Amino acid sequence: MNPPVLTVNNLTKYYGQIRALNNISFNVPEGSVFGILGPNGSGKTTMLGIIMDILRATSGSFLFFGQASSATVRKQVGTLLETPNFYHYLSGEKNLRIAAEIKGKGHEQIPSVLRRVNLYERRQSKFSTYSLGMKQRLAIASCLLGDPKVLVFDEPTNGLDPVGIAEIRSLIKQLAGEGKTIIMASHLLDEVEKVCTHVAILKQGNLITSGHVDEVLVNEDIVEVSAKDI
Ligand code: ATP
């Protein structure tokens, strides 16, 4: 069996006196859609910040593909931590070209990436004319440049209208079907049930449980504990 895509070992993070993460460990299997589920302030963004090398853990470690973080490992990981600053007066395609330049990626993959997020037909429309869901799909297109094996999304449906939410959830499932491993934070139990294959539940910086959703989310106590807060 392949090693887990991500192994998190005893991660702890303090911001001064505030303990945001307390000794967290879990594995992300290859090909999974792995939800990090928890209410506001439970430590989801901190966890993603650490695995993306934006934040330094106070203690503990993590490995991608069994290796410590490096430029080579990082090339395999596409991230959407916040909506990128696209130019409103430029087309979706031009915006993606600029994103490719910034990331040092070639332009040749842009048509296929636009098709994968279902924006090819609207590639020449100005970004300002895009719906919220289309804007987020363009952001995901930007993550796909370079064809990373792993995608990390922080609350990818946050702030979207119902149509946009449905579009992004279906795109996440499609990308998983293409073989990507997806790690996504969410505060919505319902979203994790609909989209994710695996989940880690965080509460006040503690890991309540992790595993396959079919095993974790059938435990009524856990669902109740999480749903009350989420
Ligand atoms: P949200 O959904 O609101 O972003 P979250 O689950 O992502 O919540 P974090 O943002 O990781 O949680 O926050 C975890 C804890 O760490 C919270 O108590 C938060 O107040 C605290 N925290 C986060 N960032 C900082 C910071 N830069 N300085 C001090 N405390 C912080």
Side-chain angles (χ1 to χ4, degrees):
M1 224 172 84
N2 292 334
V5 162
L6 172 67
T7 311
V8 170
N9 294 314
N10 307 111
L11 274 187
T12 294
K13 171 71 180 172
Y14 277 88
Y15 296 103
Q17 300 293 311
I18 298 169
R19 189 176 62 194
L21 293 174
N22 180 23
N23 204 30
I24 306 290
S25 302
F26 58 81
N27 288 328
V28 175
E30 188 172 20
S32 60
V33 181
F34 194 97
I36 299 179
L37 176 66
N40 287 345
S42 57
K44 305 180 296 295
T45 303
T46 301
M47 173 60 71
L48 296 188
I50 290 171
I51 64 172
M52 295 327 305
D53 281 343
I54 296 165
L55 293 170
R56 193 182 288 271
T58 308
S59 60
S61 62
F62 66 92
L63 301 172
F64 272 107
F65 314 105
Q67 298 168 47
S69 185
S70 67
T72 316
V73 167
R74 208 130 295 286
K75 275 192 188 153
Q76 298 299 330
V77 185
T79 60
L80 177 57
L81 297 189
E82 52 190 37
T83 311
N85 286 326
F86 289 123
Y87 294 97
H88 286 245
Y89 55 89
L90 294 180
S91 69
E93 184 173 30
K94 285 231 170 78
N95 269 298
L96 213 48
R97 282 173 174 268
I98 292 168
E101 295 286 345
I102 292 169
K103 295 179 179 204
K105 312 283 184 197
H107 288 181
E108 64 287 344
Q109 56 190 317
I110 288 175
S112 87
V113 165
L114 283 165
R115 281 197 185 88
R116 283 161 76 195
V117 301
N118 200 20
L119 281 177
Y120 188 75
E121 303 301 324
R122 291 289 308 275
R123 68 191 184 282
Q124 280 164 357
S125 306
K126 277 187 188 171
F127 182 77
S128 57
T129 68
Y130 280 10
S131 67
L132 292 173
M134 291 166 78
K135 287 175 178 165
Q136 188 69 328
R137 280 189 278 139
L138 192 68
I140 292 178
S142 170
C143 294
L144 292 173
L145 295 168
D147 206 20
K149 289 185 182 158
V150 188
L151 298 165
V152 179
F153 298 152
D154 193 3
E155 309 235 14
T157 62
N158 226 10
L160 299 185
D161 54 89
V163 174
I165 290 172
E167 287 172 1
I168 297 303
R169 288 180 181 173
S170 128
L171 177 57
I172 288 171
K173 287 191 205 167
Q174 176 201 314
L175 293 170
E178 292 172 14
K180 305 285 183 208
T181 302
I182 295 157
I183 303 169
M184 55 178 274
S186 178
H187 64 274
L188 303 169
L189 177 60
D190 167 60
E191 175 156 277
V192 169
E193 281 174 331
K194 286 199 171 109
V195 178
C196 298
T197 58
H198 293 71
V199 64
I201 302 181
L202 293 182
K203 191 179 170 191
Q204 294 175 349
N206 293 300
L207 181 70
I208 305 289
T209 184
S210 70
H212 198 283
V213 288
D214 290 349
E215 287 154 20
V216 170
L217 299 182
V218 290
N219 182 332
E220 284 178 19
D221 290 346
I222 284 170
V223 172
E224 205 185 316
V225 165
S226 347
K228 230 178 4 200
D229 299 313
I230 294 169

